[in-house]
Amino acid sequence: MDFKKILANDHVKPYLLKARYGIEKESQRVDLSGNLAKTDHPKSISIRDKHPYIQRDFSETQIELITPVTESLKELFDYLAAIHDVAYRSMSDNEMLWPLSMPPQLPEKEEDIVIAKLKSSESVQYRQSLAHSYGRRKQMLCGTHFNFEFGDELLQALFNVQLEIKDYQQFKEEIYLKVTRNYLHYQWLVTYFYGASPISEKNFFEEDSLNEAVRSIRCSKYGYTNSDDVQVSYSSIQNYLSDLSLMIKRGLLVEEKELYAPIRLRGGHHVSDLADHGVHYIELRNIDLNPFETYGISYKQVEFLHLFLIYLLWKDEGNDCDEWVKMGELYNNAVALEHPLEHTQFEIEAKKIIDEMEHVVEILDLSISDTLFVHLREMLMDPSKTLAGRLYKESQKSSQSEVATYIAKENYKKSWSKPYQLTGFTDMELSTQILMFDAIQQGIELEVLDRQAQFLKLQLKDHVEYVKNGNMTSKDNYVSTLIMENKTVTKKILQRHGFRVPMGEEFLTIEQALRSYDLFSTKPFVVKPKTTNYGLGISIFKEGANYEDYQKAITLAFKEDSSILIEEFIKGTEYRFFVLDGQVYAVLLRVPANVKGDGIQTIEDLVIQKNRDPLRGRDHRTPLENIQLGELEKLILKGQGYRIDSILDKDEIVYLRENSNISTGGDSIDVTDQIPDDYKKIAVDAVSALEVKICGIDLIIENIAVPAANKNAYGIIEANFNPSMYMHIYPYKGKSRRLTKHIIHYLFPELSQSQESFVKQGAPLVKREFTTVSC
Amino acid sequence: MDFKKILANDHVKPYLLKARYGIEKESQRVDLSGNLAKTDHPKSISIRDKHPYIQRDFSETQIELITPVTESLKELFDYLAAIHDVAYRSMSDNEMLWPLSMPPQLPEKEEDIVIAKLKSSESVQYRQSLAHSYGRRKQMLCGTHFNFEFGDELLQALFNVQLEIKDYQQFKEEIYLKVTRNYLHYQWLVTYFYGASPISEKNFFEEDSLNEAVRSIRCSKYGYTNSDDVQVSYSSIQNYLSDLSLMIKRGLLVEEKELYAPIRLRGGHHVSDLADHGVHYIELRNIDLNPFETYGISYKQVEFLHLFLIYLLWKDEGNDCDEWVKMGELYNNAVALEHPLEHTQFEIEAKKIIDEMEHVVEILDLSISDTLFVHLREMLMDPSKTLAGRLYKESQKSSQSEVATYIAKENYKKSWSKPYQLTGFTDMELSTQILMFDAIQQGIELEVLDRQAQFLKLQLKDHVEYVKNGNMTSKDNYVSTLIMENKTVTKKILQRHGFRVPMGEEFLTIEQALRSYDLFSTKPFVVKPKTTNYGLGISIFKEGANYEDYQKAITLAFKEDSSILIEEFIKGTEYRFFVLDGQVYAVLLRVPANVKGDGIQTIEDLVIQKNRDPLRGRDHRTPLENIQLGELEKLILKGQGYRIDSILDKDEIVYLRENSNISTGGDSIDVTDQIPDDYKKIAVDAVSALEVKICGIDLIIENIAVPAANKNAYGIIEANFNPSMYMHIYPYKGKSRRLTKHIIHYLFPELSQSQESFVKQGAPLVKREFTTVSC
């Protein structure tokens, strides 16, 4: 088939870069000095052997991170980053991930390498057989597997513009087989650019096999390879599969998945899926960990691989395909064993390939990063710019192990620096980020359906739940949320259920409201627009009001909405109760922006100091907001006789705002354990009267020491159907309440079943399209 | 107690007019000629004996309409009007309500007056005993009962400013007893103004007892009264109750509710509630039907009664309270039997009362209708302006019976003129009005929680359902409605469930969208903002587009939203499927505004003619909108070579709009029975994939004769969580689909149980605060 021609067809071109990606990345857990960890796999993520994102590979210390399938590289890296965050923060805080494919110093005795303590005895047996065949040391190598599938629209378009093959599945096979054979032939190019295992650490080799540094031990014959007798043909799927069967029959392989080729044809979960359903995608396995990237692989690397695969489809191959593949293996081993600072013996060939790739980009109108080719040529001209070259050069200054430990520590710090954020998704709302973190950690399959809209799909086996904004779920009924949205209706319902709410009336016209002056004039009352939520248009009269002020307040409120409420003002402290499924999980007190004096610093200094808290920031990207020193704050200070250069007495507290919103620099203080049960019961019962499952309900309480049953002990201000969760999880003071985890367990009660029952059920955890095969 | 003083207290004044009201109004059903109906009580409202709004009184022809308790007169009259609408449209369309208290001509034989065919044998027995004691003829009198409760805030305020009585319940009793005694003393004033039963029709009296017309037969000794032996004291609740018991013991009354006083003290459902819980409200029973008001009583009448009751509380009473009451009875009978055009013998006393009432209004700062006193004085000066006077004068021209028949017919026409509206609530959305109609008809207790927000509370026994906008209910889960609100997420989910949706992509920037030109350029496609719903910013390219047009469309769409969708355009006809709980209840085709020629009239004439349809109107107050002839319509006509004065050939159809929205004059055509089941199944399954219960889902189908399973037979455009219902109920063409009734039965499945089981359950239907005691 003339792929050069059909790839350039106008009906194909728009889809050329459509693809689906996935990454699996292994790393060794080490302590903060870079020694192999002696601890078990973290408990919080060892819920099941088949965690969709974080598993153990061969050994107990070998963490494998697995992204879901994505349709863009951006998404791929977002997930990779996020899963790294979860892995890091699930590990003990004195452990980190080793950034190299070569493991850190291994135990002297091979038996001290601990095989992964999996629950499935089959999985453990398989690992024992690997240990027996290859030795435990070799199994400690780590790398990145890159799963790649051509977009279906692309394959369809290609299929449609050719006439030779009538069957779509067969056509797909041809495509993937050609790419696979060419990849095997040209794999040395990847090894040259991205090989990154030049030197082994102590006890990797039983006896030192290599005297000199190389480009990639892992990709060479000293790495992770089958015995020379293991040979399969890539001439057709049939031949490939029958060769594989033969290898097993002859005892050369225990299972089909033991075939350690640099690229693997994938049909599904089992090799047999290939025969049944054809090729689904391919898995590139010869990618060493990139030590210079936090997540072990760079965006450009993946971009290169994608482009390389298109190029390999375009590029003619040798006539004898088995020979073509065999040559590739030889070339690759040669390149892998070259010195990392040495030019490759295939430099001319490499240059030609790069030129041709650039040509393909041009004729196919592919849009790629501007500097990709510049960068590739640089590496070609200067071997010290390849990954192996860079690592080797760095290591010369101290040792590879020290370099790796330093890098690991930087990554470690980065992952812990903003524990409330989920890297990759920091543009999303904080509560959603935290919920996503917990979902990943709990092994819930996560998909962002609409990023801007904070719309998530969570899935555990066949159980799907959709979540918007962290806590808008299927558990709440529609009309109840509409009730909460409507203050008048909420109050009416709560009042009829016997709860105290501020008495008041709704008005549709200024005239109507003015006529009711006598009803309110002498009591504490509030005038507010009916539906605004941001404090706009609200006037509070704590001691009643004269007619003029009453009139002004009404006019102000009507500017914000077409109907207003005039309500009794209830004195006391406002508490936010977070109620979930009939239980109070957190109670929060919000205090207006303030500083506490030390007798030395000015108010401005104190604000600057308080804003240094890593929990504080701007624009809701942190659990707390910076305290501002704008006109309003200065005015409020002035009202109290202060300026920003005033020095406060020790322990003197000055407020810079009148409202207690967290968004204007207020403090959040967890008081869950201090609030008596009778008030919690009021909150729970009120939420139940509204028939709501997830609710943030605001109670004003004058004195929590007074029983809730006392007359006017409390008043309910409002009920919120999308209550902020992050402020409870990262309060300024007090205990953190991980509400997102409660939400997940509420949505997936099956999570709370014992680990045992999960194992017993046995079915594959989630339907994933790229399936992981460990080891 | 000095009520004059405490009523004028500043702490009391703001609450003086706070009160709760209820009306019960009886009418005889008659045929269109004014003859007593021979038919049974309407089936659609005879579901239960204890319908909360529409019951039978003594006879099968005697309909009793009952408003819920309201806190404003406006609401009271809104409900009264609405319940009238439901009663009228539940009756056969050749029946109407007799507008007089005096029944129309009765059957010659008393036995031919049919006692209400109630299911409860007790109720029937009670009516038989009444027939025995008073004769069936007298039981055919009709009137209005006005239930009145002083506002709790008012009573509390009064209680708080006095020191004499320590117990609140006792204080309330004092208030109601004083008002009751004074009412009994001064009842003649009400009879003078509002008595309206001057003449009896044939067979009311067995022998003619009255030779002359009077003010009120019903309120006189010839009306609905107990025997003279029945006397009770109103000196205290205790005395009242013990007298009542005595009457029953002596066989003068069968039950306590047989006491036919012009005012009744009410504690609750049973007389014994008075002893247990004190007085809850009072029931004025001496109000004749006002023939000149569609709903039998005027706003001013009720305003007068309210003011009169306040006045009676203020007004000193006689020392001997039993004597005081007895005098009132005598006065009243005298006034009732005066000739309707004669001045009353108590004119001077009446004038004094009116002056005093006006004085009370002044000193207590009460706000009342400007013309109330003018009107009262007019009636006092000129007896022909009282109700009895007016009716008598009118009747002189023909006969009372003809006048009544004419009035009844006018009311009948009014009730049927806009069958889609619910009078009293025409400011609400049509679908909500229709749902309210059905709720009232089905005997569901209805409360409007927020009129502007279309927020209803429906209740059947203890089962409460909240409904917003007619179909936003507790049955749908929150996140599913959020899914439907989000086109991207809806499409993703439907697509993954195997439904065909327009393929497309979401873009966040113009640049991004421009880069994807090649993906769409050659195919039919649509560019649209992600969230706008009104057709703004949408461009359709049925044959692909050049780059400039593509760019323009994108810019246009981004003006409406921060993200846009570019989607495949699916050709065919768009149908709206209304799906409820897994079943398609209606399918609608919407056709752009159009007229069909007759070879004679111009387009303008045809539009005017088509707009005469009573279903058409403006501003969504009717099921269809008027076709406009604005600039846009003229432009579209021009594009087809027409002007508004063009004459169309016979049967030629011309479209005046390109969009098929009902809101721009489009036609709605019910095609439920024409759509094959396989397409209905697609609609049901898609709605179920979204986990939605109530949904309007839009399918584009190219040809309904082609099986839905065929490739690309259909495409799903969107799913709506608040689909319009009225367009299915009142379509331009085709069968009406009463979706609101299905919604009610879905919310209250217990409604579908047999009538029997309802009767067996026996418990009071709803908790009402004013309880009806029939007969």
Side-chain angles (χ1 to χ4, degrees), chain A residues 435-446:
Chain A
L435 183 86
M436 289 168 74
F437 182 102
D438 290 346
I440 292 173
Q441 192 181 48
Q442 298 282 311
I444 307 275
E445 203 186 10
L446 166 74

Side-chain angles (χ1 to χ4, degrees), chain A residues 14-15 18 153 367 447-450 452-453 455 457 464 466-468 472-479 481-483 486 488-489 492-493 496-497 503 505-506 508 518-519 523 530 562-563 689 691 721, chain B residues 14-15 18 153 447-450 452-453 455 457 464 466-468 472-479 481-483 486 488-489 492-493 496-497 503 505-506 508 515 518-519 523 530 562-563 689 691 721:
Chain A
Y15 308 106
K18 296 264 175 200
E153 296 125 307
S367 72
E447 184 184 350
V448 181
L449 291 176
D450 188 331
Q452 273 191 312
F455 226 123
K457 180 185 174 194
V464 173
Y466 301 100
V467 180
K468 188 172 171 348
M472 292 144 94
T473 74
S474 70
K475 298 289 182 178
D476 269 310
N477 84 63
Y478 187 27
V479 83
T481 63
L482 297 169
I483 288 170
N486 185 313
T488 302
V489 174
K492 274 190 186 171
I493 294 174
R496 281 177 209 178
H497 279 83
M503 300 294 287
E505 274 184 51
E506 185 179 342
L508 297 172
D518 286 343
L519 288 180
K523 292 177 278 187
K530 186 173 167 195
S562 64
S563 67
E691 290 169 37
F721 57 89
Chain B
Y15 307 107
K18 295 265 176 200
E153 296 126 307
E447 185 184 350
V448 181
L449 292 175
D450 187 332
Q452 272 191 313
F455 227 122
K457 179 186 175 196
V464 173
Y466 300 100
V467 179
K468 188 172 172 344
M472 292 144 95
T473 74
S474 69
K475 297 291 181 175
D476 270 309
N477 83 62
Y478 187 27
V479 84
T481 64
L482 297 170
I483 287 170
N486 185 312
T488 302
V489 173
K492 274 190 187 170
I493 293 174
R496 281 177 209 176
H497 280 83
M503 301 293 287
E505 274 184 51
E506 185 179 342
L508 297 172
R515 269 202 298 279
D518 286 342
L519 288 180
K523 291 178 279 186
K530 186 173 167 195
S562 64
S563 68
E691 291 169 36
F721 58 88

Side-chain angles (χ1 to χ4, degrees), chain A residues 442-674:
Chain A
Q442 298 282 311
I444 307 275
E445 203 186 10
L446 166 74
E447 184 184 350
V448 181
L449 291 176
D450 188 331
R451 200 157 171 142
Q452 273 191 312
Q454 321 289 329
F455 226 123
L456 306 181
K457 180 185 174 194
L458 303 180
Q459 183 162 3
L460 187 57
K461 294 189 179 187
D462 290 337
H463 179 180
V464 173
E465 292 284 346
Y466 301 100
V467 180
K468 188 172 171 348
N469 297 81
N471 55 27
M472 292 144 94
T473 74
S474 70
K475 298 289 182 178
D476 269 310
N477 84 63
Y478 187 27
V479 83
S480 285
T481 63
L482 297 169
I483 288 170
M484 288 189 279
E485 213 171 39
N486 185 313
K487 286 177 197 163
T488 302
V489 174
T490 301
K491 266 177 52 182
K492 274 190 186 171
I493 294 174
L494 288 178
Q495 193 178 2
R496 281 177 209 178
H497 279 83
F499 298 97
R500 187 189 176 209
V501 294
M503 300 294 287
E505 274 184 51
E506 185 179 342
F507 298 97
L508 297 172
T509 65
I510 294 188
E511 294 64 42
Q512 221 184 21
L514 288 179
R515 268 202 297 280
S516 294
Y517 173 66
D518 286 343
L519 288 180
F520 302 102
S521 58
T522 58
K523 292 177 278 187
F525 70 98
V526 193
V527 179
K528 55 185 173 184
K530 186 173 167 195
T531 46
T532 171
N533 251 323
Y534 298 95
L536 289 172
I538 296 183
S539 306
I540 300 176
F541 298 99
K542 293 188 184 170
E543 314 290 339
N546 63 37
Y547 192 76
E548 287 70 49
D549 290 344
Y550 181 74
Q551 195 168 21
K552 264 186 219 159
I554 286 165
T555 313
L556 198 71
F558 268 114
K559 276 188 186 143
E560 301 300 326
D561 197 356
S562 64
S563 67
I564 69 162
L565 301 174
I566 307 185
E567 271 181 3
E568 169 189 12
F569 175 78
I570 297 179
K571 285 178 187 168
T573 307
E574 185 178 331
Y575 297 93
R576 159 63 58 87
F577 289 68
F578 188 94
V579 177
L580 169 62
D581 193 26
Q583 201 179 325
V584 171
Y585 281 91
V587 187
L588 199 81
L589 175 62
R590 285 165 287 183
V591 179
N594 66 82
V595 287
K596 190 176 181 176
D598 58 1
I600 301 161
Q601 297 188 83
T602 65
I603 290 178
E604 187 169 17
D605 290 341
L606 292 167
V607 166
I608 291 168
Q609 186 186 318
K610 192 160 178 177
N611 284 346
R612 279 201 199 107
D613 186 337
L615 293 186
R616 285 190 197 267
R618 280 164 191 271
D619 302 327
H620 307 273
R621 289 287 174 274
T622 46
L624 294 166
E625 288 290 304
N626 282 341
I627 300 173
Q628 304 295 312
L629 276 174
E631 287 313 309
L632 193 55
E633 286 81 3
K634 286 177 188 162
L635 212 67
I636 288 166
L637 284 177
K638 198 174 160 195
Q640 303 168 85
Y642 293 108
R643 303 191 323 192
I644 61 168
D645 57 0
S646 309
I647 291 172
L648 296 184
D649 291 344
K650 188 160 163 52
D651 295 336
E652 186 186 358
I653 291 174
V654 161
Y655 292 94
L656 293 101
R657 278 281 192 156
E658 280 178 343
N659 65 319
S660 57
N661 297 35
I662 301 304
S663 58
T664 52
D667 292 341
S668 51
I669 300 170
D670 178 78
V671 291
T672 314
D673 296 332
Q674 288 86 301

Side-chain angles (χ1 to χ4, degrees), chain B residues 18 46 87 216-217 221 245 264 276 279 325 388 471 489 499 530 540 542 550 582 602 606 615 768:
Chain B
K18 295 265 176 200
S46 61
S216 174
I217 296 174
K221 65 180 178 185
S245 301
R264 197 179 263 173
D276 300 343
V279 185
V325 166
N471 55 27
V489 173
F499 298 97
K530 186 173 167 195
I540 300 175
K542 293 189 183 170
Y550 181 74
T602 64
L606 292 167
L615 291 186
R768 296 183 64 245

